Amino acid sequence: MDLNLLQPNISQQISSVEHLQVELLMLYGDSCDIGEGKHYTSLTRRGLKRLMKDMRHVQQHLQSLRSTYLIDADGATVLTVGHKYDHVAANRGISRASY
């Protein structure tokens, strides 16, 4: 699933529809030409199934995301991705002798 969220050029203020809903319609909806360069886009049953499948995939990875880190350069190039080391858990059960 491509998560590069779109920056739609909305010509009018839309009060009842959130930007995320617009982005999801643009990513998963089916579009048809209605003339004069305009398109009608709606979420079909097929698009909804694809969206639900992608959401389940994201949900499966949310728990592991809590212990994941990313290092990037200038916000554009990913240098490394890994799992955080839990220092507290590593020291549990180890008794230290004091002299």
Side-chain angles (χ1 to χ4, degrees):
M1 177 173 86
D2 189 4
L3 287 179
N4 295 329
L5 294 181
L6 308 172
Q7 294 292 331
N9 184 9
I10 300 174
S11 60
Q12 298 175 359
Q13 179 65 29
I14 303 171
S15 60
S16 64
V17 178
E18 295 182 20
H19 285 285
L20 179 59
Q21 291 171 312
V22 172
E23 292 170 4
L24 290 173
L25 277 173
M26 293 177 79
L27 287 170
Y28 292 95
D30 280 344
S31 185
C32 64
D33 186 18
I34 58 172
E36 298 178 13
K38 297 177 183 170
H39 298 90
Y40 174 87
T41 303
S42 64
L43 193 61
T44 62
R45 184 175 291 143
R46 181 173 175 242
L48 181 60
K49 286 174 102 173
R50 285 182 32 234
L51 175 57
M52 299 285 281
K53 180 180 176 184
D54 287 347
M55 288 296 119
R56 279 192 298 273
H57 184 75
V58 168
Q59 278 184 310
Q60 291 173 351
H61 294 283
L62 285 178
Q63 195 64 13
S64 66
L65 190 59
R66 290 176 41 142
S67 65
T68 303
Y69 70 90
L70 175 138
I71 298 174
D72 68 82
D74 301 323
T77 305
V78 176
L79 300 176
T80 188
V81 178
H83 293 283
K84 297 178 208 171
Y85 179 71
D86 188 359
H87 297 286
V88 176
N91 291 331
R92 287 186 187 153
I94 300 174
S95 59
R96 298 178 187 259
S98 59
Y99 299 103

